[in-house]
Amino acid sequence: MTIDVSVNFSFQTGLGDIAFTKIVEQFSFLVLQSNDLLGENYEWFEPGHSKKQALSQMAFENNKISESTLLKWEKRYKKDSPLFVESVWDGKSDYSSSINYRKMFFDQVNRVDVELHLVSKNKNINVESFIALFSRIAFYFKCAYINADSGGYRFFDNNVFPDRLSVGWMIYIPHVVLPRLIPEAARIVPVVDGEKQKGTIVVSTEDIFDGKNKDHVGKANDIEIKLLDLGLLPLMTEL
């Protein structure tokens, strides 16, 4: 079985523009976390016009950025500021993972949108793996949300509210949610920083989520309705 899950999140850093050194640090963190979930220390490559060209442009090895990619990205950072949009992929031909980092906002120069497209045949990957990934991301970044989707759940408009966040397999929100408030959820996982809870992960299914599975879709839909009732499912424009 091939696991094919997209993890999307948005975060902000400080008040001003994000320094290039900080971007490299953040990207290295994303590479490390992706490798950890996939269970393999992948090499990651820059995109190219062909697979051959792309595989000649190694971006990260052993979770560290290559000198050539560092120089290219720094040049683009200076040229396109405050915008910075870059991607890497794992070089696989039949199924490939990618990391997409998008700092695209002129009015919010400290905001970034990230997509981790994680594809693997590793049988050890399960709901616990993604809960752990969500927790580490939430600790590292100040996230407005994190969600996981598969099977085209949001792409095919299987979510209830097209203009709001979708739950899909699971969602992290920076609010305290008590389990009794969402009995429809498979799990409610608090994310605690020291003695303070900084957010909650709401999981729709214990199984690997499939956006084409009617039962899975129904569970995610029920949770989206309940979160909206609780005032915890913002409009995309409010993020």
Side-chain angles (χ1 to χ4, degrees), residues 51 55 89-97:
K51 183 179 180 181
L55 292 179
W89 68 300
D90 64 5
K92 306 296 182 184
S93 56
D94 50 348
Y95 58 97
S96 61
S97 298

Side-chain angles (χ1 to χ4, degrees), residues 12 27 30 58 100 118 129-130 176:
Q12 290 185 296
F27 222 113
L30 296 171
M58 185 181 294
N100 304 293
L118 303 168
S129 306
F130 279 89
V176 176

Side-chain angles (χ1 to χ4, degrees), residues 139-201:
F139 277 121
Y140 190 86
F141 297 110
K142 183 181 178 182
C143 295
Y145 73 95
I146 313 169
N147 65 2
D149 188 4
S150 68
Y153 175 74
R154 184 177 180 89
F155 181 79
F156 292 116
D157 297 325
N158 287 325
N159 55 313
V160 181
F161 309 105
D163 55 346
R164 295 182 180 272
L165 279 177
S166 62
V167 169
W169 189 9
M170 60 185 77
I171 187 169
Y172 164 84
I173 50 177
H175 301 283
V176 176
V177 180
L178 301 177
R180 61 179 174 79
L181 296 176
I182 310 182
E184 298 86 354
R187 286 202 217 181
I188 302 288
V189 182
V191 177
V192 180
D193 187 1
E195 297 182 355
K196 184 178 180 181
Q197 182 174 345
K198 65 180 300 182
T200 307
I201 301 169

Side-chain angles (χ1 to χ4, degrees), residues 124-141:
N124 294 321
I125 297 175
N126 55 25
V127 66
E128 299 287 356
S129 306
F130 279 89
I131 289 173
L133 175 67
F134 271 44
S135 296
R136 291 193 293 266
I137 291 172
F139 277 121
Y140 190 86
F141 297 110

Side-chain angles (χ1 to χ4, degrees), residues 34-166:
S34 298
N35 281 344
D36 185 70
L37 183 131
L38 295 168
E40 188 173 340
N41 193 21
Y42 283 121
E43 297 171 341
W44 296 82
F45 301 88
E46 297 179 37
H49 297 298
S50 66
K51 183 179 180 181
K52 182 178 180 180
Q53 182 193 24
L55 292 179
S56 70
Q57 304 175 131
M58 185 181 294
F60 285 83
E61 184 177 18
N62 295 322
N63 304 318
K64 293 183 180 179
I65 192 169
S66 69
E67 187 65 25
S68 61
T69 297
L70 181 69
L71 293 173
K72 284 182 200 174
W73 285 8
E74 185 173 23
K75 184 178 180 179
R76 291 173 194 161
Y77 174 86
K78 292 176 180 178
K79 176 184 176 183
D80 300 332
S81 181
L83 308 181
F84 185 84
V85 180
E86 295 294 344
S87 301
V88 297
W89 68 300
D90 64 5
K92 306 296 182 184
S93 56
D94 50 348
Y95 58 97
S96 61
S97 298
S98 60
I99 301 171
N100 304 293
Y101 182 106
R102 301 182 291 268
K103 188 169 84 74
M104 305 182 296
F105 309 93
F106 285 99
D107 56 339
Q108 292 178 289
V109 294
N110 62 339
R111 177 182 164 186
V112 178
D113 290 338
V114 173
E115 180 190 18
L116 307 178
H117 183 206
L118 303 168
V119 184
S120 177
K121 292 183 178 179
N122 185 343
K123 296 179 181 179
N124 294 321
I125 297 175
N126 55 25
V127 66
E128 299 287 356
S129 306
F130 279 89
I131 289 173
L133 175 67
F134 271 44
S135 296
R136 291 193 293 266
I137 291 172
F139 277 121
Y140 190 86
F141 297 110
K142 183 181 178 182
C143 295
Y145 73 95
I146 313 169
N147 65 2
D149 188 4
S150 68
Y153 175 74
R154 184 177 180 89
F155 181 79
F156 292 116
D157 297 325
N158 287 325
N159 55 313
V160 181
F161 309 105
D163 55 346
R164 295 182 180 272
L165 279 177
S166 62

